[in-house]
Amino acid sequence: MRRTAYGVAAAVALTLVSTASVQAAGPHHDAPRARVWVTTPDRAELMAERAPVVFGSGTSTHPTIVVDPDRSYQRVDGFGASITDSSAAVLRGLAPGVRDETMRKLFDPVRGIGVSFLRQPVGSSDFTAEAEHYTYDDVPAGQTDFPLRHFSIAHDEKTILPLLRQAKRLNPALSVMATPWSPPAWMKTGDSLVGGRLKDDPAVYDAYARYLLAYVKAYAAAGVPIDFLSVQNEPQNRTPSEYPGTDMPVAQQLKVIEALGPKLRAASPRTKILAYDHNWSTHPGDVEGTPPGSSPETDYPYQILRSPAARWITGTAYHCYSGDPSDQTKLHDAFPDKGIWFTECSGSHGPADPPAQVFNDTLRWHARNVVMGTTRNWAKSAVNWNIALDSTGGPHNGGCDTCTGLVTAQPDGSVTTDAEYYTIGHLSKFVKPGATRIGSTSFGTTGWNGQVIDTAFRNPDGSTALVVHNENDEPRTFAVSAGDKQFEYTLPGGALATFTWPRDDDLRSRFDAVPLTGATATASPAGEGVALVADDDASTRWSSGTAQAAGQYVQLDLKSRKRFTRVAVDSGGYEGDFARSWQLSSSTDGTTWRTLATGAGTGQLTTVDVRATTARYLRVTSTGTAANWWSVADIRLYR
């Protein structure tokens, strides 16, 4: 980061990070500005660009999203969906002009939302327009084809590959992942694409590896190189509903990867293997379907990444149908050198749900869980399922009959945009491949707590994209802080917004965050959740459990001496729970304390600049009274 000399006056300066004064100051042509796009659940605004907002200086009583580009997380590969066989049939069935305009709306980074990641089925899935399911090497029952003489992607050349090539022309930064729903039936127990396992035979594992490699090479020759490949979609889905699927236990996936890894690295080194490709946690139905005497392998991705086959694996792919996005962070913490991609989540609805309800519910759930939940938990991609379906949710052959796409082809030949078009679009249009997720304070949770939830990125050109969702039904006002500049904004209930601003030295912080790894917290009164003060998560908090009174305190043990010049005390998203007056103290031994600053609290975030201090312990003491409780979501240190 950029550092500048910083002099501290004799009196300690107290700064409340916020933006109310932006409007009072009035716009200035030299002041940094953020552009704003908003989607509301009532469809009144659909990625509508509003008037820009100006960064300024001032104070705010509202929760403050602190954007910190010096805290970086995962690199982004892209956001999108899948051109399934069904999607391809729907798109190819449109009038040529309508189809081309729809493709522009989907893939063009300027005229559309710039979809930048596609996950393509290798052969048939439930979403196929064909009457019979297929692979690229189907032979009559009872026959085999170990030499792969019958291998052909001719089926895809009819509709799927032309659309993929058009998508890549519209967005050259597009990444493509490939995933099979089933190996050819002759490789499987039961000789069927629906259910069963691979035959436990080294010759079969080798043939399946060569089959996948043949697909990768054929697609590259057709102008669509494959960037990522998983070896089985949802390997724990043992009872697919009349569509291709394969029960692939850990031991079998490892054998496939061991056979495929060296072949792929030699023939297509750009193609990276992703393991697992299933839910955040094992679905209860999959556990119930475990064969007698077998393990349900609820730690499937952990077993894969602990194995010697992990040397061929770039990372893990996840779906949304069971568990929580936080499961991604648990895996990341266990295997930080392996990436995480989020690769499937379909919108769905009740058979009789009216369209307005479907849009509303889908927008909100996907905003929390896919847009925010996956990216805040290390995902390098966020991918929905079908990119296009017809008005009946099809065509499909088995499987889901209430799924939705990014766009829908209507009976009159027109195309409408669905909630997923906007949830993905608020990412894909503004967050470019190669971007890095950066630090940002977030107060909402994927399980819904009625707060503001967000995620932030630094693009390759240095610009910033901040995506914000108001979980509540009512409007919510918040502040955004970048460097020492801020703005204030109010989002309608349930709305999703993206704010972007160019690289600007005025928006760069003079401070570095001090890592608080291992720090612990205590409080008096103990209240509720004191450990959460040190968890670097503003959606969790300690609350006093009683009215504010002088002498109450929250204390951090940093476990070692840390040097800092700024302290931020964040009371989180519940407005009014800040200390009405306070004292900030430090200690090297936990016994002798030195007062660093005192002041009056006026908002959710209190930022205190102090003389350079080295200490192991830090204490914030309430020196006033108030009828409401006192909450602290996080204490952050900077130097």
Side-chain angles (χ1 to χ4, degrees):
M1 66 164 287
R2 176 175 62 90
R3 295 183 181 273
T4 60
Y6 181 59
V8 182
V12 175
L14 166 65
T15 309
L16 293 176
V17 176
S18 105
T19 61
S21 68
V22 167
Q23 288 79 9
H28 187 278
H29 69 280
D30 288 331
R33 295 169 180 256
R35 297 176 69 182
V36 190
W37 289 262
V38 174
T39 297
T40 55
D42 61 359
R43 297 186 70 109
E45 295 179 270
L46 298 174
M47 282 184 72
E49 185 169 10
R50 291 182 169 186
V53 61
V54 182
F55 283 92
S57 301
T59 61
S60 175
T61 62
H62 299 292
T64 299
I65 299 168
V66 179
V67 178
D68 186 356
D70 293 318
R71 301 185 69 185
S72 60
Y73 300 89
Q74 74 274 20
R75 180 187 180 277
V76 168
D77 286 315
F79 309 100
S82 302
I83 300 181
T84 60
D85 186 66
S86 296
S87 295
V90 167
L91 291 168
R92 295 300 294 183
L94 298 172
V98 175
R99 178 174 63 246
D100 288 344
E101 179 58 25
T102 301
M103 291 292 285
R104 281 192 292 270
K105 288 176 67 174
L106 288 165
F107 294 99
D108 191 309
V110 177
R111 298 177 59 183
I113 61 172
V115 162
S116 50
F117 197 107
L118 287 173
R119 175 174 175 260
Q120 294 304 116
V122 178
S124 187
S125 70
D126 50 332
F127 279 91
T128 177
E130 301 289 348
E132 299 292 334
H133 291 297
Y134 63 91
T135 72
Y136 303 121
D137 197 343
D138 296 321
V139 297
Q143 297 184 20
T144 61
D145 184 24
F146 283 95
L148 304 181
R149 293 191 182 96
H150 297 283
F151 180 90
S152 171
I153 61 167
H155 171 278
D156 293 8
E157 277 290 4
K158 298 175 184 177
T159 56
I160 299 173
L161 279 163
L163 290 167
L164 291 175
R165 287 190 287 263
Q166 183 179 7
K168 288 187 73 68
R169 287 193 299 271
L170 289 165
N171 189 355
L174 181 72
S175 292
V176 179
M177 176 186 173
T179 301
W181 266 241
S182 175
W186 55 269
M187 298 184 186
K188 298 176 66 179
T189 61
D191 295 309
S192 172
L193 299 184
V194 180
R197 294 180 173 180
L198 277 171
K199 295 173 182 176
D200 191 17
D201 181 341
V204 170
Y205 295 124
D206 179 72
Y208 187 39
R210 289 186 289 108
Y211 170 83
L212 294 174
L213 181 63
Y215 166 85
V216 169
K217 293 169 69 175
Y219 256 56
V224 183
I226 301 300
D227 299 287
F228 303 98
L229 173 69
S230 69
V231 300
Q232 177 58 47
N233 171 70
E234 300 188 346
Q236 292 186 302
N237 183 0
R238 301 177 177 94
T239 55
S241 177
E242 300 179 351
Y243 66 91
T246 305
D247 175 13
M248 184 175 283
V250 167
Q252 288 206 328
Q253 183 155 134
L254 293 176
K255 289 177 182 178
V256 172
I257 291 172
E258 289 282 17
L260 175 63
K263 293 179 174 66
L264 196 62
R265 184 166 296 179
S268 182
R270 74 176 288 159
T271 307
K272 308 303 181 185
I273 296 175
L274 303 185
Y276 187 52
D277 211 3
H278 207 167
N279 291 324
W280 291 313
S281 66
T282 303
H283 193 284
D286 293 336
V287 174
E288 293 170 3
T290 304
S294 299
S295 168
E297 298 183 326
T298 55
D299 61 345
Y300 194 117
Y302 292 83
Q303 290 192 49
I304 294 287
L305 294 182
R306 282 196 298 261
S307 74
R311 69 189 184 279
W312 304 113
I313 298 169
T314 296
T316 302
Y318 276 107
H319 300 181
C320 74
Y321 308 115
S322 182
D324 183 87
S326 62
D327 290 312
Q328 296 177 178
T329 289
K330 294 173 185 175
L331 189 71
H332 170 269
D333 291 346
F335 302 96
D337 60 330
K338 299 295 185 181
I340 289 174
W341 285 258
F342 180 78
T343 55
E344 185 184 316
C345 190
S346 180
S348 186
H349 58 87
D353 290 347
Q357 179 184 336
V358 174
F359 187 93
N360 184 325
D361 293 351
T362 303
L363 183 79
R364 293 169 185 261
W365 195 93
H366 280 244
R368 294 197 312 272
N369 290 278
V370 178
V371 178
M372 310 299 174
T374 67
T375 59
R376 289 193 69 87
N377 286 280
W378 296 96
K380 297 161 73 69
S381 64
V383 182
N384 278 86
W385 188 200
N386 292 275
I387 206 165
L389 292 174
D390 65 24
S391 60
T392 70
H396 64 93
N397 189 347
C400 179
D401 58 4
T402 58
C403 286
T404 54
L406 269 64
V407 299
T408 297
Q410 300 297 337
D412 64 0
S414 65
V415 175
T416 56
T417 50
D418 300 313
E420 299 97 310
Y421 178 87
Y422 300 101
T423 53
I424 288 297
H426 272 278
L427 287 168
S428 60
K429 186 172 181 65
F430 308 106
V431 182
K432 303 303 181 182
T436 300
R437 186 173 77 83
I438 57 177
S440 63
T441 315
S442 184
F443 308 100
T445 61
T446 55
W448 192 91
N449 65 353
Q451 297 293 332
V452 170
I453 186 171
D454 66 85
T455 185
F457 304 86
R458 182 181 59 246
N459 279 310
D461 66 359
S463 64
T464 298
L466 172 68
V467 190
V468 183
H469 171 53
N470 173 14
E471 296 184 351
N472 206 278
D473 291 338
E474 302 301 321
R476 284 288 183 268
T477 300
F478 55 92
V480 174
S481 170
D484 286 327
K485 300 291 184 180
Q486 309 87 31
F487 66 78
E488 217 171 53
Y489 210 82
T490 300
L491 275 185
L496 180 63
T498 301
F499 300 83
T500 67
W501 56 88
R503 184 172 188 165
D504 192 310
D505 284 345
D506 286 345
L507 303 180
R508 299 183 67 184
S509 175
R510 299 170 293 159
F511 299 91
D512 285 319
V514 177
L516 300 185
T517 306
T520 58
T522 55
S524 176
E528 300 176 354
V530 68
L532 304 175
V533 172
D535 70 349
D536 194 27
D537 182 353
S539 71
T540 63
R541 58 178 178 148
W542 164 82
S543 286
S544 61
T546 187
Q548 292 184 36
Q552 296 174 345
Y553 68 84
V554 175
Q555 181 174 311
L556 285 182
D557 179 355
L558 306 175
K559 299 305 181 182
S560 62
R561 294 186 179 188
K562 306 284 187 182
R563 184 179 182 276
F564 55 90
T565 58
R566 171 173 281 188
V567 179
V569 182
D570 196 335
S571 289
Y574 293 88
E575 296 201 12
D577 280 7
F578 57 89
R580 294 307 185 268
S581 59
W582 49 265
Q583 174 181 287
L584 179 66
S585 308
S586 68
S587 174
T588 57
D589 57 9
T591 302
T592 303
W593 292 87
R594 180 168 69 94
T595 299
L596 300 178
T598 61
T602 58
Q604 296 302 107
L605 178 62
T606 300
T607 302
V608 187
D609 292 335
V610 301
R611 294 185 183 275
T613 299
T614 300
R616 172 173 169 171
Y617 299 92
L618 190 72
R619 179 182 289 178
V620 183
T621 304
S622 170
T623 58
T625 60
N628 60 297
W629 294 0
W630 178 24
S631 296
V632 177
D634 277 317
I635 297 177
R636 301 186 291 272
L637 304 184
Y638 302 88
R639 59 174 178 265

